[in-house]
Amino acid sequence: MKQVFLLVCSCALLGCTSSVKNNTEINSDDFLLTGHIEGYKPAAEPLIGKIYYEELFTGKPLVKVTEVAPGGYFQASIPLGHSQEMNLNVGSRYYTLYALPKGKLHLTLNPDYPDSCEYKGDGADISKELNFYYGFRRTHYSNDFSGMQSDMERLSPNDFKIKREKVLAERLRTIDSLQTARNLSQDIADLIHYHEQLYNGYILLSFADFRRHLGRAKPDNQILQQSTPPDYYTFLQDMPFEKKDAVSLSQYRDMIGSIRFAPPIMDAGNSVKDTIITVKYTFLTYLLDKNVPLTDEERKIAEGHRYFIGTHKANPAFLKAFNEKLDRSVYSPFEEKYKAWCDSFNVKLQKDVDAGNSVLSVHISSVENDLESLTKRWEKCNDTFKKMYPQTPSLAFDIFVLQYFIGQLKGIASPADADTLYNERISFITDNTIKEVMREKYQKRFSSSDPLQQTKGGEIVRRLIAPHKGKYVLLDFWGTTCGPCRGDIDQFSELRKSYTGSPDFAYLFITSSQNSPEKDYRKYIAEHLKGEESYFLSDYEYAYLEELFAMSGIPRYVLINPEGEILDDGYDIYQLEKFLNEKGIRKGASVFKTFF
């Protein structure tokens, strides 16, 4: 029987590198985690551990695999520039760790008592108390997300904020009581205080985001139709963003990431131009679905954009702009010719928006390559962020600038435009470490490729792509339990089939039992992927691919060039057809369907 031992450490790393050393290459500057599983009995296949961690500044997930020795011992070296909270997951059990730079922490785990964990070494006391408190929270506090929909339908945003202020005050009093009862140091009590403040802020941001989507599905609810007032976000000014110790908490990472997707920031980043481009192409696709006779050129546009578009949430500002410009430009030059279909399409669009569906498809390349548009969006988002969190300069703002830059950089095709964008953005940052991270991400954007590492993961990939030497290869990491994975498989089915047998391109599916129960896998392959190249790896091998590509979830796409190097380890599947066309990739001998 396969054994999988999961060490899941979600840690926000400050200034960490993406390379993870093997167990035999321990660096004294790193945090060293060691452990022992009492009563461990080796099996035929090595027992493995996986450590998931994250760069604080970028949010990039990283993965480290470690094998448990026959005696039950394991160790892992983690590059660390700042104290960090981590979560250790053993099977279904979670333990909190507090890692210190250059620190050494040892754990003793007993399978007969899965809730117990003995800590020794640097950070042991903090680890023990954080572990106790999070267990206390799970036992004594209800899920704050349960019942949130009910609150959305009956409480205004500011009424909900008042409710959460009372909840926070009560929990901070509990922390003070525990400090006395457990004789906690002030440093540990402060950390727990920071966690509760950040968590409460995360709940408030989620409320504002969720209620907007629910409002589309419930247009008759007057509470939901009220816009969230600007002063709702004043709670951000009370967050411990500038506290050095708060940075060590995983909740800090979650909170900073959530601000980027807060409704005011998202609205500031939208533009009418997106809407016009979006609706024009969506309208042609709608006509195609209705079997309306189109010209060859119109069919080419409709079919082509169906396969390399992303999705963009509709919002009231978009709809207002859509309605205002409808008669003048949205359907031009198709509005006169297909005028009879405009009304029915608009009705469908409105129904889908009311239901909260992502019906506006954004043509990514035609929007994000526009440097002027990106700059204008940034200016609006910059102003919006400073109104929400006016402390300047601040660490929170520097992280926001970096993450927003990385998001926009992905859509830049021109190195000259990327250089302009980089020089504009880095001038906003005051922290030198964050500047260095931005410089690294910018330089990485236009590097041609990365060679496969000389690791177990690299060897597995080389084995899989060996039959396709000299071809571009797309690796699709998926699972039968993953709805978005199955959706992408269905959406791109005809495109893949048209390139089956291509002398220039191969498409490989990769999964394991952790994402695809074997019985379900066999059934799905027979019904949906018959004749396509699919690999069902052992969990042991799959773990090393997770490490190689720093995978924290699926679907995930990796593009390999003809030389066997990594072109993109986070490939956008919606750009695939465009890529194949631009590279002149030849289709297979048997074409299932002609797209153009």
Side-chain angles (χ1 to χ4, degrees), residues 342-353:
C342 289
D343 290 342
S344 62
F345 169 70
N346 198 31
V347 170
K348 177 184 183 300
L349 177 66
Q350 188 62 56
K351 285 183 177 179
D352 285 343
V353 170

Side-chain angles (χ1 to χ4, degrees), residues 567-595:
L567 271 182
D568 192 338
D569 64 1
Y571 188 70
D572 179 2
I573 188 64
Y574 291 96
Q575 299 294 325
L576 178 58
E577 187 171 16
K578 179 184 177 184
F579 173 82
L580 296 173
N581 289 335
E582 289 178 346
K583 292 293 183 181
I585 304 296
R586 290 169 288 179
K587 294 186 178 182
S590 299
V591 180
F592 290 82
K593 180 179 178 181
T594 301
F595 285 84

Side-chain angles (χ1 to χ4, degrees), residues 502-515:
S502 168
D504 306 318
F505 176 72
Y507 198 110
L508 279 58
F509 289 94
I510 302 173
T511 190
S512 75
S513 63
Q514 73 181 54
N515 295 318

Side-chain angles (χ1 to χ4, degrees), residues 99-164:
L100 301 173
K102 300 183 181 181
K104 297 180 180 179
L105 182 62
H106 182 81
L107 312 178
T108 301
L109 308 176
N110 188 333
D112 294 331
Y113 301 95
D115 287 327
S116 67
C117 178
E118 181 182 349
Y119 302 91
K120 289 184 178 180
D122 303 311
D125 290 343
I126 302 178
S127 300
K128 178 181 177 181
E129 293 303 334
L130 288 177
N131 188 66
F132 169 81
Y133 182 69
Y134 294 151
F136 177 89
R137 289 183 91 260
R138 288 191 295 270
T139 302
H140 293 82
Y141 301 151
S142 61
N143 183 345
D144 290 281
F145 284 93
S146 62
M148 185 180 283
Q149 178 171 332
S150 175
D151 285 339
M152 292 177 195
E153 296 184 37
R154 64 185 183 84
L155 295 179
S156 69
N158 280 332
D159 285 342
F160 180 76
K161 185 166 72 167
I162 293 172
K163 174 182 176 179
R164 290 303 309 180

Side-chain angles (χ1 to χ4, degrees), residues 275-411:
T275 312
I276 296 173
I277 292 174
T278 290
V279 175
K280 180 174 68 175
Y281 290 138
T282 304
F283 179 55
L284 281 180
T285 304
Y286 174 75
L287 297 178
L288 186 68
D289 292 340
K290 292 295 184 180
N291 297 316
V292 176
L294 302 176
T295 66
D296 289 343
E297 181 64 23
E298 291 165 350
R299 181 174 293 275
K300 178 178 179 179
I301 294 175
E303 290 182 335
H305 287 90
R306 183 197 299 277
Y307 289 97
F308 57 96
I309 55 178
T311 58
H312 193 92
K313 288 287 185 184
N315 62 51
F318 269 27
L319 288 177
K320 180 180 179 182
F322 170 83
N323 290 326
E324 289 176 350
K325 294 181 177 292
L326 177 64
D327 294 334
R328 297 193 300 275
S329 62
V330 173
Y331 295 144
S332 178
F334 314 109
E335 60 179 346
E336 289 300 322
K337 185 174 181 181
Y338 301 108
K339 191 172 183 179
W341 292 95
C342 289
D343 290 342
S344 62
F345 169 70
N346 198 31
V347 170
K348 177 184 183 300
L349 177 66
Q350 188 62 56
K351 285 183 177 179
D352 285 343
V353 170
D354 289 344
N357 296 333
S358 301
V359 297
L360 297 183
S361 300
V362 181
H363 183 191
I364 299 296
S365 61
S366 66
V367 175
E368 295 196 353
N369 282 344
D370 184 346
L371 182 61
E372 181 181 359
S373 175
L374 292 178
T375 300
K376 288 181 178 178
R377 293 184 195 187
W378 160 247
E379 291 172 351
K380 292 179 180 178
C381 289
N382 177 21
D383 290 341
T384 302
F385 182 92
K386 289 181 177 178
K387 290 176 182 177
M388 296 169 67
Y389 187 71
Q391 298 183 41
T392 304
S394 70
L395 178 62
F397 179 69
D398 283 357
I399 296 174
F400 172 77
V401 176
L402 172 67
Q403 292 185 353
Y404 200 89
F405 167 76
I406 292 173
Q408 290 194 324
L409 187 64
K410 293 178 180 179

